């Protein structure tokens, strides 16, 4: 059973270096958001969020993906299909 009290990552899109990603997240209230993360190979911690608290939510995952594509510089330049 999925714990409905935790955000759920629906999609994770990495840059070509594998050091940055954007996660599309479903929040417990049914809204969606995105978070940009980075990973430092020399640090065993794994992925770290580049921003603090989630400030913007969206009604759909597609709207969150579109906003991420417009706001995250490397994702704007990424020509792969993000659907």
């Amino acid at each position: 059973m999925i714990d409905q009290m935790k955000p759920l990552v629906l999609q994770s899109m990495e840059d070509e270096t594998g050091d940055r990603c954007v996660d599309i997240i479903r929040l417990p209230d049914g809204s969606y958001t995105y978070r940009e993360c980075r990973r430092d190979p020399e640090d065993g911690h794994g992925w770290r969020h580049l921003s603090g608290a989630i400030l913007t939510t969206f009604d759909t995952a597609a709207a969150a993906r579109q906003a991420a594509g417009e706001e995250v510089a490397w994702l704007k330049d990424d020509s792969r299909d993000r659907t």
Side-chain angles (χ1 to χ4, degrees):
M1 177 179 218
I2 296 174
D3 182 352
Q4 296 299 320
M5 298 307 292
K6 293 183 179 181
L8 175 66
V9 175
L10 301 175
Q11 182 181 16
S12 187
M13 301 169 283
E14 288 187 27
D15 72 355
E16 60 188 38
T17 69
D19 292 335
R20 299 240 179 191
C21 78
V22 169
D23 290 338
I24 305 301
I25 303 165
R26 186 179 70 208
L27 300 172
D29 68 359
S31 64
Y32 299 84
T33 193
Y34 69 90
R35 300 282 302 264
E36 184 179 11
C37 305
R38 78 166 202 280
R39 126 173 96 190
D40 298 317
E42 66 277 359
D43 178 3
H45 179 271
W47 293 102
R48 296 182 186 271
H49 293 130
L50 290 178
S51 59
I54 296 168
L55 300 176
T56 306
T57 59
F58 304 91
D59 292 333
T60 66
R65 249 189 322 273
Q66 180 177 345
E70 293 170 359
E71 295 294 322
V72 177
W74 64 264
L75 200 52
K76 277 192 247 188
D77 298 332
D78 189 351
S79 61
R80 70 187 152 173
D81 181 14
R82 292 187 296 269
T83 60

